[in-house]
Amino acid sequence: MTHVASRSAARQKRHHSIRLHLAGTGARPRLAVFRSLNHIYAQVIDDAAGVTLAAASTAEKELRGSKSTKTEEAAAVGRLVAERAKSAGVERVVFDRA
């Protein structure tokens, strides 16, 4: 059993191994979610073109400073990124669980 030096190194290793089998296309972009200690970030990415189509996070002005739980904040970020993705013309995504 190997030990990874830090939490971020373990996350990067996991991310690279998952990305070997997963890519977002124009028809079905990738939904990448990153959860830090204090915030949650979500973005819809078209890997073929190399652009981010929609993004949302709890660090944004409209979601910052809310006194709700992390679960409720994550749900709000999910609703916001879904709304922005729909307006960008995205109907289906591939979930990047890294």
Side-chain angles (χ1 to χ4, degrees), residues 15-67:
H15 181 72
H16 289 300
S17 69
I18 290 170
R19 285 299 311 282
L20 289 173
H21 308 286
L22 180 76
T25 62
R28 199 160 174 197
R30 176 171 57 101
L31 173 64
V33 177
F34 175 71
R35 182 179 54 104
S36 72
L37 191 62
N38 297 318
H39 296 287
I40 187 163
Y41 307 86
Q43 35 182 350
V44 178
I45 305 162
D46 179 3
D47 289 319
V51 294
T52 299
L53 304 172
S57 75
T58 54
E60 292 179 5
K61 192 177 272 189
E62 58 207 39
L63 295 178
R64 197 178 329 137
S66 66
K67 297 294 182 193

